[in-house]
Amino acid sequence: MKQALLALSVIALPSLLSAQPTMDQSDAPQVDDVFPYITGSYTPVTTGGADVLWDLSGIGTSAATNLPFESPDATAYGDLYPTATLALDGGNTIQFMRSDATGLYVVGVYKDLGSQSIQIHFTDEELFLPYPCTFNTTFADPYTYTYDYTGGTVNGGGNRSYIADGFGTLVLPYDTIYNVLKLSGVDTTSESIPGQSYVTVVDQVYFYKPGIHYYLLSAQSL
């Protein structure tokens, strides 16, 4: 299965110069931000380097679903995640986060599955984006979590290994965005319950821009 927020095509034009962007704590999501979630088909993104033009102008996109960033106590489940400073509210799924000078972290996730809910608690937080992050920044972050499901406890964990391998200009159907930073990496997650275990490996690409408080685009291959 392959999916992405947007379909991607890449053209390298070294003559189109961009400033080298750096993401820091000032670029973390804030309460009252809105994340417009848009889906599309998948095309691999492999081009990196300096002053790259990633041309996505011809892609088709779905309508945006606007997801609010809220204070954790504005949700019904904020008391379950006392270290969180922010919640990305997707309705049936709420991601609880915190940020500081070292990065943006995921501390828990609440999922409503109708008659059952999943309350994921990270015993070792997941580093989503380190601060500062600029061209050639690398990071590898292990994380662990637990949750109860159908009467049993699921123990999970994994590793996120990334490099900021490019910067330049991102062309979308609605705008041209300069000074973006591309991150490429692999997310590996394993879960175990008595008698069963699962491993998921995802190749992931993100695009960021200073001043925009969340990623511009994410593409993944499972």
Side-chain angles (χ1 to χ4, degrees):
M1 174 177 161
K2 294 184 177 180
Q3 58 186 5
L5 291 188
L6 290 172
L8 304 175
S9 60
V10 181
I11 303 172
L13 294 179
S15 61
L16 184 62
L17 299 179
S18 296
Q20 185 169 313
T22 298
M23 304 293 293
D24 60 29
Q25 188 178 8
S26 67
D27 302 306
Q30 307 292 320
V31 171
D32 296 328
D33 283 347
V34 175
F35 174 49
Y37 185 85
I38 302 170
T39 60
S41 58
Y42 177 83
T43 300
V45 183
T46 57
T47 301
D51 303 313
V52 177
L53 175 66
W54 293 278
D55 187 353
L56 285 67
S57 58
I59 63 173
T61 61
S62 67
T65 299
N66 291 323
L67 306 181
F69 282 99
E70 302 172 337
S71 172
D73 59 14
T75 74
Y77 313 104
D79 59 341
L80 299 175
Y81 305 96
T83 63
T85 59
L86 191 72
L88 177 60
D89 192 345
N92 291 336
T93 300
I94 305 174
Q95 189 173 52
F96 292 87
M97 305 176 179
R98 72 170 185 87
S99 65
D100 61 25
T102 67
L104 177 66
Y105 298 83
V106 178
V107 303
V109 180
Y110 179 91
K111 294 184 178 183
D112 186 355
L113 301 178
S115 62
Q116 193 168 190
S117 65
I118 294 178
Q119 301 170 16
I120 301 173
H121 294 270
F122 281 76
T123 50
D124 182 356
E125 296 174 344
E126 177 183 358
L127 175 60
F128 193 79
L129 181 67
Y131 300 137
C133 185
T134 191
F135 185 46
N136 288 327
T137 295
T138 62
F139 73 97
D141 175 65
Y143 57 87
T144 56
Y145 59 85
T146 63
Y147 64 90
D148 293 330
Y149 185 64
T150 61
T153 298
V154 178
N155 296 295
N159 187 77
R160 305 183 80 236
S161 181
Y162 281 81
I163 180 171
D165 62 351
F167 69 91
T169 300
L170 180 63
V171 183
L172 298 174
Y174 55 84
D175 202 0
T176 297
I177 305 169
Y178 300 95
N179 302 332
V180 300
L181 182 67
K182 172 178 171 276
L183 273 71
S184 299
V186 177
D187 292 357
T188 303
T189 304
S190 62
E191 291 189 348
S192 63
I193 58 176
Q196 298 182 62
S197 61
Y198 306 89
V199 177
T200 303
V201 179
V202 180
D203 293 315
Q204 186 83 52
V205 172
Y206 290 99
F207 286 90
Y208 290 90
K209 177 179 172 62
I212 304 298
H213 291 165
Y214 208 42
Y215 58 82
L216 290 164
L217 182 143
S218 168
Q220 60 179 219
S221 173
L222 291 87

